Amino acid sequence: MKIGVLYEVWGETESYPGAKEVDDDTTRRRRRRRPKLDREEVFDALTKLGHEPSYIELDGRDATLFALARTKVDLVFNLAESYAGDDTKDLNIPAFMDLVGVKYTGSGPHGLLLAQDKALAKKIVEFHGLKTPFSAVSHRGRLDYSHDVKFPLIVKPVSEDGSIGIDVGSVVDSVKELMERIHHLHEELDVPILIEEYIEGREIYAAILGNRPPEALPLVELDLSKLPADTPRIAGREVKFDKESEEYKLTKSALAKDLDEETAEKLQEAAKTTYRALKLRDYGRIDMRLAKDGTIYVLEANPNPWLSSQAEFAMAARGSERTYNEMIKKIVEVAAARYED
Ligand SMILES: Nc1ncnc2c1ncn2[C@@H]1O[C@H](COP(=O)(O)OP(=O)(O)OP(=O)(O)O)[C@@H](O)[C@H]1O
Ligand SMILES: [Mg+2]
């Protein structure tokens, strides 16, 4: 197949944004060099799978959109996470491809929309009988929606990814801290804010692959237990990207160990229900918390999660005895199958 690897270059810098490194043989070899970008890894995998890949770049100019509309590829591998630097516009890209009849991998506009609005996603997930932390939404001092929430709370943007607006100061214990944090976020980002009960517990990620039916891959855990006692146990910006920080160095993702079978199954079921309920397609990652008493809380859903070989999704795929190339092959297959009906 001719496959166009689609990505956006807006504001892209020379320095690699950084990724939590995993400790296994597959990635150890790569450490010394600049890690490959996810698009390069996907491109290489497609070549090895016998496809004819090419790059399709979006840069915020109409001309690149027109080029996408005219593309002659059989399938687009959609790695675009924003449009013109605006990550809330990621959903317009598949919507545009639907309009012009370009076939693509991953979630459609519905899935991207539902998952992006965390407050809306939580209501849908609750409707399906799953638990998500109690929350309230505030924008410019107005309360849009509210449970009766209890401290400690975590304060985060309703619609951002990659821990934008989430750092060591996000967990608050008092009204004073809460007001200060809301003010801080409104100043920085001016976006609606989700005030959510903070759930102490294990941080579990469930990678889901395919559609009919979706398959839950082995669970991945981000171990936050080594963080200093005065640091909140959350995967904030420092933990995910700030390679120089203590928080980054002290935390590590790996396949989840010591989970009893029943709990692991419940987590995977919760993730599959979330994936279906939010209309995710082809591949996705559901972020959850497992509280001490065994209660599972769905935190959020990530359609088209990062496909770097170092990211949690690929780690979960390796856990299911798939190589990186086999994982990419499966995504292509399930996407292409959608257009055969
Ligand atoms: N209610 C909560 N209780 C405990 N920890 C939380 C809660 N909400 C968020 N966190 C912590 O903050 C992290 C980031 O939150 P979230 O996943 O909502 O942000 P994001 O920016 O969408 O992240 P991603 O990089 O997955 O897109 C979580 O992985 C978790 O560690
Ligand atoms: Mg997350």
Side-chain angles (χ1 to χ4, degrees):
M1 260 194 281
K2 286 197 172 67
I3 302 184
V5 178
L6 179 69
Y7 62 95
E8 142 115 337
V9 287
W10 189 271
E12 206 173 86
T13 54
E14 264 306 293
S15 68
Y16 189 64
K20 267 217 108 45
E21 283 166 353
V22 296
D23 200 11
D24 68 13
D25 294 339
T26 359
T27 52
R28 199 167 294 148
R29 279 175 278 120
R30 295 219 180 91
R31 287 234 177 120
R32 269 163 257 120
R33 292 177 267 129
R34 165 177 84 71
K36 278 197 172 161
L37 296 170
D38 55 345
R39 61 173 176 260
E40 295 167 342
E41 291 189 292
V42 170
F43 191 102
D44 288 353
L46 292 171
T47 308
K48 290 190 184 116
L49 291 166
H51 295 296
E52 265 179 71
S54 56
Y55 286 118
I56 305 177
E57 193 173 279
L58 293 175
D59 64 5
R61 286 178 303 131
D62 291 354
T64 55
L65 270 184
F66 297 151
L68 171 60
R70 285 193 302 266
T71 181
K72 292 281 180 287
V73 298
D74 303 307
L75 185 74
V76 161
F77 204 112
N78 182 20
L79 299 178
E81 292 187 279
S82 55
Y83 186 72
D86 182 346
D87 51 16
T88 62
K89 292 213 175 88
D90 61 348
L91 63 99
N92 299 77
I93 298 169
F96 177 76
M97 291 194 278
D98 282 339
L99 281 183
V100 296
V102 170
K103 300 168 183 171
Y104 57 90
T105 60
S107 288
H110 300 97
L112 294 179
L113 177 78
L114 295 178
Q116 180 182 96
D117 184 333
K118 289 182 188 171
L120 177 59
K122 286 163 67 77
K123 289 179 199 165
I124 296 172
V125 164
E126 278 165 19
F127 176 83
H128 288 268
L130 300 172
K131 282 212 161 79
T132 107
F134 277 174
S135 65
V137 176
S138 145
H139 191 36
R140 297 186 181 165
R142 208 184 69 220
L143 211 52
D144 285 345
Y145 167 76
S146 186
H147 284 107
D148 195 6
V149 291
K150 294 193 193 72
F151 288 102
L153 299 167
I154 180 163
V155 187
K156 58 188 187 181
V158 170
S159 301
E160 290 291 350
D161 267 330
S163 289
I164 292 173
I166 304 180
D167 57 37
V168 291
S170 297
V171 179
V172 297
D173 277 308
S174 65
V175 173
K176 177 172 174 288
E177 279 177 22
L178 173 65
M179 301 311 277
E180 282 172 0
R181 192 65 194 181
I182 292 175
H183 178 71
H184 168 77
L185 274 187
H186 278 160
E187 291 265 287
E188 295 265 302
L189 299 165
D190 192 25
V191 292
I193 287 167
L194 187 61
I195 302 158
E196 198 171 72
E197 285 192 1
Y198 171 75
I199 309 295
E200 185 73 50
R202 293 172 70 173
E203 171 106 354
I204 307 282
Y205 304 129
I208 311 286
L209 184 58
N211 305 310
R212 288 190 225 156
E215 176 191 348
L217 304 181
L219 299 163
V220 169
E221 174 166 17
L222 174 62
D223 179 7
L224 298 163
S225 65
K226 311 250 168 11
L227 287 173
D230 57 352
T231 309
R233 311 244 147 135
I234 59 168
R237 186 177 41 75
E238 303 90 346
V239 166
K240 285 186 190 159
F241 303 114
D242 186 358
K243 289 195 167 178
E244 302 309 314
S245 73
E246 279 301 290
E247 288 84 0
Y248 185 95
K249 290 174 191 157
L250 294 170
T251 52
K252 214 165 89 178
S253 293
L255 287 180
K257 291 184 206 86
D258 320 321
L259 275 179
D260 64 80
E261 215 170 291
E262 192 190 331
T263 308
E265 248 167 53
K266 276 194 194 150
L267 284 157
Q268 289 176 320
E269 280 308 313
K272 282 195 275 187
T273 303
T274 304
Y275 181 87
R276 286 200 187 94
L278 299 178
K279 302 193 185 301
L280 269 53
R281 286 191 326 213
D282 300 350
Y283 65 112
R285 196 193 74 232
I286 312 297
D287 298 351
M288 292 174 288
R289 282 246 152 168
L290 175 62
K292 270 237 162 63
D293 66 2
T295 312
I296 293 166
Y297 292 89
V298 175
L299 292 186
E300 60 132 8
N302 300 281
N304 305 354
W306 196 31
L307 285 182
S308 157
S309 60
Q310 313 209 6
E312 281 86 2
F313 193 90
M315 195 184 296
R318 283 195 290 278
S320 72
E321 308 291 316
R322 284 182 178 89
T323 62
Y324 185 82
N325 293 352
E326 283 163 354
M327 169 188 103
I328 298 296
K329 180 169 186 254
K330 174 83 179 179
I331 294 173
V332 167
E333 275 170 9
V334 295
R338 171 169 46 252
Y339 298 99
E340 277 161 18
D341 301 339

